Amino acid sequence: MLSTRITRAKELLVLTDFSVCEIAHQVGFGDESNFSTRFTAMVGQSPQQYRKSAMKPAEN
């Protein structure tokens, strides 16, 4: 299921230093472009943007 794969990708983006391409392959996408398109459609930001925003410390 796509949502499960995207959820796993979100975990990998935050918890690992794997490239977006590596993560795409790990969650079952044949290429990074298709993964990025589907991720952006579901999450509202690209994998790179998601990783950056998730890594920012929470502001009080």
Side-chain angles (χ1 to χ4, degrees), residues 12-60:
L12 291 170
L13 284 164
V14 174
L15 300 174
T16 73
D17 290 329
F18 295 149
S19 70
V20 172
C21 186
E22 288 175 293
I23 291 171
H25 288 287
Q26 283 197 27
V27 299
F29 284 87
D31 67 274
E32 182 181 351
S33 176
N34 184 32
F35 166 69
S36 292
T37 300
R38 304 294 282 283
F39 187 97
T40 302
M42 284 193 74
V43 178
Q45 53 188 174
S46 73
Q48 294 90 343
Q49 290 169 325
Y50 180 83
R51 175 176 265 167
K52 251 191 222 176
S53 67
M55 300 306 270
K56 272 189 195 163
E59 296 177 14
N60 294 343

